[in-house]
Amino acid sequence: MSEYIHEEARNLEVFGEADVVVVGGGPAGTTAAVCAARNGANVLMLERYGHLGGMATGGIVIALPYLSHGSNTQELTGVNQEWLDRLDLYGGALHPPKDEVGSSNPKVIGKWNKYFACVMEGKVRQTAYADPEILKIVLNDMVEEAGVAVCLHSWGCRPLVGDGEVNGVVFESKEGRKAVLGKIVIDCTGDGDIFANAGAQFEADIDMNLRSANMAVVYRLGNVDFLEWANFLEVEPKKSQEVRAKLQEIAGFSAVLMPSPRNDVCWLNNWVSGKDCLKVKDLTYVEFAVRKTVRPVIEFLRAEAPGFKNAFLIDTAPQIGTRSSRRLKGEYRLSMDDMKEGKRFEDTVALIPSMRPAIVPSVIHFPYRALVPEKVNGLLVAGRCFSSESAANNITNLIPHCVAMGEAAGTAAAIAIKSSVQPRNINIDTLVDTLKKQGVYLP
């Protein structure tokens, strides 16, 4: 039997006000905040951790895959490209140079085939691997330069709603429970925490066979020789398959060794199934279950895996890897049929290269309406909780996709503020033209 206690009503201090309040400073949220500010909006962003970047930094999910579809054209540009350019200044990324993207030259293919997602269907794709600590610095620079007011260690926990319109957010921090007021709130929590509590309709069904149904705790290994491991995979496929199978047996879940910008550092991505990232007990289980296997996995790799003789643990991700939960019911629901058919939209705000060419053969057109709730006003969504069916979400919720959604949502919010209209009523041509000026590829 459930028991309840009564929480007394109290007055909350208004911590601040802004045109746009962004909740969540992950790839989508940081991008939304920067783009809204660059387009003239006064922006405040709340982030529960002590860093920006979400999965791409604290989650150590350092792959930025499938920025191009296969030709020498890179479809995901804009802020996605800005990330690469800024990371390159610090030596913080590994990725094919622009003149090798789309190449089918055997020598070029041979070089990049050692790095997951850099080669597909015989052509080089633009995929990057980022240093998560350098990316934290890059994102700090971007929000500061844009003039975004950032509150770290501040957990946006519920929206302020009146007459079907969101007009602010309550957050918890070391200073206690406070409120920020905003004309438009962008929910970039990943799990849709704000829109769910604002009364927006959503879906939460997940096909347990999908990648997105799994959680993870990523960790990094140092003093490795990743190219030695990659060559082993190529030269001895049968033996390497046995080693990888044994790795998964010891871990107790699916696990893959992935590259980083440094040859002497790699990360172990993993997929823990059967748990719900909206449940505290399940989140806690995954944190313990993965870390419990770190030492036996490293001991096995040292003994059996080429390139790992002297490997050691660098760190485990402070931010748990979550891949799917709530999905908004928006003005448009992106479907697998849309993707398979290559459906185009009048409000396309991003072109997403397919990560499953055998299933989705052409580039995916992403509609702005998938970021707009059906009924609730004053609210936009960006990131993996966008409006979509489960299978469609599974192949359009990677980090670069979330960056593209954030760019569209933040830009749209600034346009709505300037035009004194709800986000659902902005002029789409103005949005598209502005995105193009920002370097977004929308032919």
Side-chain angles (χ1 to χ4, degrees), residues 41-64:
N42 177 271
V43 182
L44 186 149
M45 178 168 60
L46 302 170
E47 167 52 45
R48 63 173 168 156
Y49 291 102
H51 58 264
L52 301 177
M55 288 294 100
T57 56
I60 317 184
V61 182
I62 59 177
L64 308 175

Side-chain angles (χ1 to χ4, degrees), residues 349-412:
V349 289
L351 297 182
I352 297 177
S354 173
M355 62 184 282
R356 297 284 186 270
I359 301 171
V360 179
S362 61
V363 69
I364 299 161
H365 287 245
F366 188 90
Y368 169 66
R369 287 167 294 161
L371 307 177
V372 182
E374 282 182 324
K375 297 179 181 178
V376 178
N377 284 324
L379 181 66
L380 282 168
V381 169
R384 62 179 172 82
C385 51
F386 71 94
S387 180
S388 53
E389 65 180 23
S390 181
N393 188 279
N394 182 61
I395 60 174
T396 47
N397 71 4
L398 302 182
I399 288 168
H401 309 159
C402 294
V403 170
M405 293 178 215
E407 185 156 11
T411 304

Side-chain angles (χ1 to χ4, degrees), residues 53 57 115 181 232 360:
T57 56
Y115 304 103
L181 305 181
F232 172 61
V360 179

Side-chain angles (χ1 to χ4, degrees), residues 23-273:
V23 187
T30 302
T31 305
V34 166
C35 290
R38 287 176 177 174
N39 281 284
N42 177 271
V43 182
L44 186 149
M45 178 168 60
L46 302 170
E47 167 52 45
R48 63 173 168 156
Y49 291 102
H51 58 264
L52 301 177
M55 288 294 100
T57 56
I60 317 184
V61 182
I62 59 177
L64 308 175
Y66 313 112
L67 295 168
S68 68
H69 191 72
S71 70
N72 59 2
T73 297
Q74 182 177 316
E75 287 84 3
L76 281 174
T77 50
V79 172
N80 270 298
Q81 183 60 46
E82 184 176 350
W83 277 27
L84 298 193
D85 293 341
R86 287 179 178 250
L87 284 165
D88 285 342
L89 292 175
Y90 291 95
L94 171 72
H95 61 89
K98 290 183 179 180
D99 62 358
E100 290 183 355
V101 173
S103 175
S104 56
N105 183 300
K107 289 185 178 179
V108 178
I109 292 292
K111 177 172 65 173
W112 292 108
N113 204 36
K114 303 179 190 303
Y115 304 103
F116 173 76
C118 285
V119 175
M120 188 173 288
E121 297 186 316
K123 290 186 177 181
V124 175
R125 281 191 170 201
Q126 183 59 286
T127 284
Y129 290 90
D131 183 303
E133 299 304 320
I134 292 178
L135 183 55
K136 290 176 185 177
I137 297 168
V138 163
L139 298 179
N140 283 359
D141 290 345
M142 290 175 67
V143 296
E144 285 190 323
E145 291 166 12
V148 176
V150 179
C151 296
L152 299 179
H153 305 286
S154 300
W155 193 321
C157 51
R158 74 173 180 87
L160 299 170
V161 185
D163 297 324
E165 182 173 341
V166 176
N167 48 47
V169 176
V170 175
F171 72 98
E172 295 276 5
S173 74
K174 286 291 185 179
E175 297 181 33
R177 191 174 179 88
K178 298 187 179 184
V180 291
L181 305 181
K183 297 173 184 175
I184 295 173
V185 172
I186 307 179
D187 185 344
C188 299
T189 61
D191 292 313
D193 296 338
I194 301 304
F195 73 61
N197 286 291
Q201 297 297 302
F202 62 88
E203 299 175 85
D205 64 297
I206 303 175
D207 181 343
M208 299 309 291
N209 295 313
L210 295 175
R211 171 196 65 87
S212 57
N214 298 269
M215 283 194 280
V217 177
V218 169
Y219 54 94
R220 290 191 294 176
L221 304 176
N223 203 22
V224 307
D225 185 337
F226 188 82
L227 284 178
E228 184 179 348
W229 168 253
N231 287 331
F232 172 61
L233 298 181
E234 286 185 349
V235 175
E236 299 192 56
K238 184 177 179 180
K239 188 174 180 181
S240 65
Q241 181 59 38
E242 292 172 357
V243 172
R244 288 191 289 180
K246 185 65 174 178
L247 167 62
Q248 302 206 29
E249 179 184 333
I250 293 172
F253 43 78
S254 182
V256 173
L257 294 161
M258 304 280 283
S260 84
R262 296 174 57 107
N263 186 55
D264 60 349
V265 175
C266 76
W267 54 290
L268 189 138
N269 200 1
N270 47 83
W271 294 264
V272 181
S273 62

